[in-house]
Amino acid sequence: EAGVAQSPRYKIIEKRQSVAFWCNPISGHATLYWYQQILGQGPKLLIQFQNNGVVDDSQLPKDRFSAERLKGVDSTLKIQPAKLEDSAVYLCASSLGTSGRVGETQYFGPGTRLLVL
Amino acid sequence: AQTVTQSQPEMSVQEAETVTLSCTYDTSESNYYLFWYKQPPSRQMILVIRQEAYKQQNATENRFSVNFQKAAKSFSLKISDSQLGDTAMYFCAFMKLNTDKLIFGTGTRLQVFP
């Protein structure tokens, strides 16, 4: 079974530029998550999708971050404009998302390491 | 708000020995889930073990076991017969019932040496 795929693996940009990350979840997984992992910290949830609808985006800095999940499969996360403090690893995860079943295992991708100069 | 604390930034253990990683959490919920995730140097995080708070029995997965003390809000991970492949960051995480939102601690870096 193929795992969660993410690209690119690494990205270096200058502040005020824009950047986009892509995620392809495990086939059949309805729920998709984007996490931000700053160096020395645990991952922090940015946004959660159930199919193509947003379940939780309470910690997404909406003035500069946006995310979409068209057709309930792939997802993109965009930052525009980037700030120095956005330097982090951006992790995508997915889970089955079966109705009524919570606490499901989340499967993580390898992450995209972003450096903002 | 729920918080997760891992007080050991780094740990080391010799191969074949046993090591215990600590985790405490703060919540007013009575039912919830707790997890340990492993993040090897390649950075793909994988689930090690999970515990439902309403289950009194401690979860076990092969060489990995937990000591769940609900009253003390403590959730430690014991790794027996440590292997070189256990070298990784270990994150403790909390999930409130009826949500899928994981709240992670800051992690413990475990080094297993020969």
Side-chain angles (χ1 to χ4, degrees), chain B residues 36-52:
Chain B
W36 278 98
Y37 275 88
K38 169 185 177 180
Q39 191 175 39
S42 65
R43 305 202 76 89
Q44 190 140 10
M45 197 162 336
I46 57 173
L47 177 68
V48 175
I49 199 166
R50 58 177 277 160
Q51 173 83 40
E52 290 86 355

Side-chain angles (χ1 to χ4, degrees), chain A residues 33 37 42 103 106 108 113, chain B residues 39 43-44 50 91 100 105:
Chain A
Y33 314 80
Q37 186 177 15
Q106 295 183 20
F108 285 80
R113 185 185 297 272
Chain B
Q39 191 175 39
R43 305 202 76 89
Q44 190 140 10
R50 58 177 277 160
F91 290 96
D100 294 309

Side-chain angles (χ1 to χ4, degrees), chain A residues 2-3 8 25 42 52 55 79 94 96-97 107:
Chain A
N52 60 351
V55 174
I79 308 175
S94 69
L96 273 172
Y107 297 86

Side-chain angles (χ1 to χ4, degrees), chain B residues 5-11 19-23 36 76-77 89-90 106-110:
Chain B
T5 302
Q6 294 180 251
S7 58
Q8 305 155 314
E10 294 186 0
M11 295 277 286
V19 64
T20 299
L21 308 184
S22 301
C23 172
W36 278 98
S76 60
L77 175 70
M89 281 289 288
Y90 286 81
T106 52
T108 296
R109 184 177 304 279
L110 177 67

Side-chain angles (χ1 to χ4, degrees), chain A residues 24-59:
Chain A
N24 180 238
I26 293 173
S27 177
H29 280 196
T31 308
L32 185 147
Y33 314 80
W34 283 102
Y35 288 87
Q36 180 191 57
Q37 186 177 15
I38 293 173
L39 187 66
Q41 300 180 19
K44 180 185 81 172
L45 180 68
L46 291 177
I47 188 167
Q48 175 187 345
F49 292 95
Q50 178 76 14
N51 295 309
N52 60 351
V54 175
V55 174
D56 184 346
D57 64 356
S58 57
Q59 298 191 90

Side-chain angles (χ1 to χ4, degrees), chain A:
Chain A
E1 177 182 84
V4 176
Q6 291 187 247
S7 68
R9 294 295 309 275
Y10 304 92
K11 190 75 177 178
I12 301 175
I13 62 173
E14 296 191 349
K15 60 183 179 183
R16 292 188 289 274
Q17 286 187 323
S18 62
V19 64
F21 312 126
W22 174 82
C23 173
N24 180 238
I26 293 173
S27 177
H29 280 196
T31 308
L32 185 147
Y33 314 80
W34 283 102
Y35 288 87
Q36 180 191 57
Q37 186 177 15
I38 293 173
L39 187 66
Q41 300 180 19
K44 180 185 81 172
L45 180 68
L46 291 177
I47 188 167
Q48 175 187 345
F49 292 95
Q50 178 76 14
N51 295 309
N52 60 351
V54 175
V55 174
D56 184 346
D57 64 356
S58 57
Q59 298 191 90
L60 187 74
K62 298 180 186 63
D63 58 333
R64 298 183 300 105
F65 285 65
S66 64
E68 61 182 9
R69 191 183 184 197
L70 300 176
K71 301 180 182 178
V73 182
D74 293 6
S75 177
T76 56
L77 176 70
K78 297 179 182 177
I79 308 175
Q80 181 180 10
K83 292 185 175 181
L84 297 178
E85 58 261 36
D86 298 332
S87 294
V89 176
Y90 291 85
L91 298 169
C92 180
S94 69
S95 64
L96 273 172
T98 307
S99 176
R101 291 185 57 183
V102 295
E104 293 176 331
T105 297
Q106 295 183 20
Y107 297 86
F108 285 80
T112 296
R113 185 185 297 272
L114 173 67
L115 179 60
V116 182
L117 301 176

